[in-house]
């Protein structure tokens, strides 16, 4: 089935634009669903209120020039707080943007720094931050509501390829870089770098937190998929199975599954607690043998993401297709065409998939399905119980297999 197009945001073009400089490597939604951000190519990041985008798509059809969205923003009273006054911003980051991540604060989560007598920033619950990873190795932190630069983090020596905030509101930020390291930053301690995670022998392409913020997955060149204990900042295990560079990863909403995308034409869905591959989604049929999987082909998988219902995975490959998969089916349930796609992510409520290409963003409606009570119970249990504890429960084997996503 073909996915229904919701809309598109097109980057402004000029006759002197070099096409190769307008890759959209990253697109992100704010945790509360209030904003959408994407890299328009070169040095520019566009921040727009997401609700207004959807309204524009409904009112004016699917096509929107990226600069036209702001002209239809509703006027707000001057005494309203920034939280209630979403404004669009165009941010010049000073260098090519490779990665984006939104972060929001929970006051109960204190800084992990021992010396907390004085801080330049005191991020409150109404704070929304945007981190941008740049070509020169810098990470710039922006205030989403004002568009102002707050912090400039400068320890990486190569491209910052990916960024991820801990979901627990602690404003712990992890960056993945081509300098073969991951770095852990505490934004509640004015961006202090807490730890350097070493172990990748080659470039690090991506990183993702588990929903409870206890585990970090990092993926990179040389078939690397690593899991890290974020309480001890130590490596938990290496996951082996891919045959080429691994370029993207994401945990399921309950943390029981991990999806990884690779240039070997496959998406694997793992049980991260035991390191077993549960599902394989192939983008080339018949699948290449391991000796050929590392070669150049037009099925390299560029991006993968989990839907909020825990039942669907979206992938984006070089064969000009976006695919929607159910985790319990072998073939895609929906597809959509996209040339030169580089990144994809689900909206906060899971109703829309956004994919980036040549500085623009395209949106599709995601497969809609009412989750069964069995699946909702499974997700509730797996949010609090790892695989080892589930297997020790005094329940029938079939139920254990279901809870472990083995059937």
């Amino acid at each position: 089935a073909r996915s229904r197009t919701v809309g598109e945001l097109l980057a402004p073009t000029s006759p002197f634009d070099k096409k190769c400089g307008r890759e959209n490597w990253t697109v992100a939604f704010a945790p509360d669903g209030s904003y959408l951000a994407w890299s328009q190519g070169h040095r520019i990041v566009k921040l727009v209120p997401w609700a207004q985008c959807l309204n524009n798509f409904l009112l004016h059809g699917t096509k929107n020039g990226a600069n036209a969205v702001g002209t239809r923003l509703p006027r707000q009273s001057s005494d309203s707080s920034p939280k209630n006054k979403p404004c669009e911003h165009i941010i010049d980051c000073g260098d090519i943007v490779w990665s984006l991540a939104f972060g929001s604060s929970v006051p109960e989560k204190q800084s992990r720094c021992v010396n907390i007598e004085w801080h330049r920033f005191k991020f409150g619950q109404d704070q929304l931050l945007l981190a941008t990873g740049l070509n020169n190795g810098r990470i710039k932190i922006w205030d989403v509501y004002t568009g102002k630069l707050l912090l400039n983090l400068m320890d990486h020596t190569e491209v910052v390829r990916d960024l991820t905030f801990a979901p627990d509101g602690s404003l712990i930020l992890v960056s993945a870089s081509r300098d073969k390291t991951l770095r852990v930053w505490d934004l509640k301690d004015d961006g202090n770098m807490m730890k350097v995670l070493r172990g990748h022998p080659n470039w690090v392409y991506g990183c993702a937190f588990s929903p409870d913020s206890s585990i970090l997955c990092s993926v990179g060149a040389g078939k690397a998929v690593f899991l890290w204990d974020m309480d001890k900042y130590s490596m938990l295990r290496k996951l082996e199975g891919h045959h080429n560079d691994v370029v993207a990863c994401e945990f399921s909403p309950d943390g029981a599954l991990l999806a990884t995308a690779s240039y070997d034409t496959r998406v694997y869905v793992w049980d991260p607690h035991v390191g077993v591959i549960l599902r394989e989604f192939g983008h080339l049929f018949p699948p290449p043998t391991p000796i050929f999987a590392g070669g150049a082909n037009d099925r390299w998988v560029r991006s993968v993401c989990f839907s909020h219902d825990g039942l669907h995975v979206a992938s984006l490959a070089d064969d000009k297709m976006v695919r929607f998969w159910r985790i319990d089916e072998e073939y895609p349930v929906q597809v959509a065409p996209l040339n030169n796609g580089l990144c994809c992510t689900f909206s906060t409520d899971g109703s829309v998939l956004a994919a980036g290409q040549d500085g623009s963003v395209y949106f599709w409606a995601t497969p809609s399905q009412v989750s069964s009570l069995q699946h909702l119970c499974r997700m509730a249990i797996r949010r609090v119980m790892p695989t080892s504890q589930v297997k020790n429960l005094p329940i029938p084997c079939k139920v254990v297999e279901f809870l472990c996503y083995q059937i």
Side-chain angles (χ1 to χ4, degrees):
R2 283 283 289 267
S3 295
R4 179 175 60 86
T5 301
V6 174
E8 55 192 48
L9 294 172
L10 304 178
T13 59
S14 76
F16 306 107
D17 256 355
K18 291 184 179 179
K19 193 74 168 176
C20 62
R22 290 184 52 229
E23 287 94 349
N24 178 356
W25 288 103
T26 177
V27 59
F29 287 93
D32 62 358
S34 59
Y35 275 89
L36 165 74
W38 79 98
S39 60
Q40 289 194 339
H42 304 299
R43 319 184 317 185
I44 304 301
V45 169
K46 189 71 177 286
L47 264 170
V48 295
W50 174 235
Q52 189 62 40
C53 281
L54 286 178
N55 289 337
N56 289 336
F57 295 151
L58 292 172
L59 291 172
H60 305 281
T62 61
K63 294 201 174 186
N64 265 292
N67 286 340
V69 179
T71 63
R72 290 187 286 271
L73 284 174
R75 296 185 65 181
Q76 302 276 352
S77 60
S78 59
D79 59 347
S80 59
S81 67
K83 182 78 172 175
N84 299 322
K85 189 180 179 182
C87 301
E88 76 171 55
H89 300 287
I90 296 176
I91 297 174
D92 186 341
C93 296
D95 205 342
I96 295 172
V97 181
W98 285 84
S99 50
L100 294 171
F102 282 97
S104 56
S105 173
V106 175
E108 297 79 51
K109 290 286 183 180
Q110 297 297 323
S111 167
R112 295 191 184 184
C113 178
V114 177
N115 178 20
I116 54 172
E117 295 176 2
W118 181 86
H119 282 143
R120 181 180 164 199
F121 296 105
K122 287 184 170 60
F123 295 120
Q125 194 163 11
D126 60 346
Q127 192 84 34
L128 187 59
L129 305 177
L130 179 70
T132 56
L134 307 182
N135 194 67
N136 59 10
R138 296 192 177 190
I139 303 166
K140 292 186 176 181
I141 311 296
W142 309 82
D143 185 315
V144 170
Y145 300 126
T146 64
K148 292 182 179 178
L149 179 64
L150 300 177
L151 290 166
N152 195 355
L153 313 178
M154 297 185 290
D155 281 273
H156 280 296
T157 57
E158 292 281 350
V159 171
V160 179
R161 191 62 186 82
D162 199 14
L163 294 165
T164 181
F165 276 97
D168 61 5
S170 61
L171 287 184
I172 298 297
L173 174 69
V174 175
S175 53
S177 172
R178 286 184 182 174
D179 65 12
K180 307 177 185 179
T181 68
L182 297 132
R183 294 175 191 257
V184 186
W185 315 81
D186 186 353
L187 297 196
K188 289 197 174 182
D189 187 27
D190 292 342
N192 175 48
M193 191 184 72
M194 303 161 55
K195 197 72 178 179
V196 180
L197 303 180
R198 305 182 190 275
H200 280 268
N202 300 293
W203 290 358
V204 191
Y205 278 109
C207 55
F209 268 103
S210 63
D212 64 359
S213 304
S214 66
I215 298 174
L216 180 83
C217 176
S218 62
V219 296
K223 316 172 190 177
V225 183
F226 295 169
L227 295 178
W228 306 83
D229 182 331
M230 292 307 287
D231 291 324
K232 301 176 181 177
Y233 301 115
S234 60
M235 190 181 296
L236 283 171
R237 62 177 61 86
K238 300 179 183 180
L239 304 184
E240 298 182 353
H242 279 297
H243 304 296
N244 200 345
D245 294 356
V246 190
V247 294
C249 60
E250 187 162 284
F251 283 89
S252 63
D254 59 3
L257 303 174
L258 171 70
T260 56
S262 170
Y263 288 167
D264 66 9
T265 78
R266 297 172 175 90
V267 166
Y268 284 155
V269 179
W270 310 76
D271 183 329
H273 302 286
V274 294
V276 173
I277 298 172
L278 300 176
R279 305 281 186 275
E280 177 183 322
F281 299 139
H283 295 65
L284 182 61
F285 297 97
T289 58
I291 195 170
F292 293 110
N297 56 66
D298 63 351
R299 303 295 196 280
W300 281 5
V301 189
R302 294 282 179 178
S303 186
V304 67
C305 54
F306 252 105
S307 175
H308 81 305
D309 64 7
L311 285 173
H312 293 92
V313 173
S315 64
L316 191 155
D318 279 353
D319 62 355
K320 304 177 182 178
M321 296 292 287
V322 176
R323 293 171 171 84
F324 295 93
W325 312 78
R326 265 186 63 99
I327 60 170
D328 54 359
E329 294 185 15
E330 187 177 354
Y331 299 104
V333 293
Q334 287 185 14
V335 297
L338 180 69
N339 291 339
N340 304 322
L342 294 171
C343 60
C344 65
T345 188
F346 282 98
S347 60
T348 308
D349 65 0
S351 63
V352 173
L353 181 80
Q357 171 250 359
D358 290 342
S360 301
V361 191
Y362 299 83
F363 304 92
W364 293 275
T366 59
S368 57
Q369 180 173 348
V370 177
S371 299
S372 67
L373 185 58
Q374 287 176 317
H375 176 65
L376 293 175
C377 291
R378 172 169 61 183
M379 290 185 68
I381 291 170
R382 293 312 309 269
R383 281 191 177 97
V384 296
M385 296 186 72
T387 304
S388 58
Q389 292 183 16
V390 171
K391 289 188 173 180
N392 290 328
L393 292 173
I395 53 179
C397 292
K398 284 290 182 184
V399 179
V400 171
E401 290 177 2
F402 178 77
L403 292 176
C404 293
Y405 290 90
Q406 294 174 352
I407 57 173

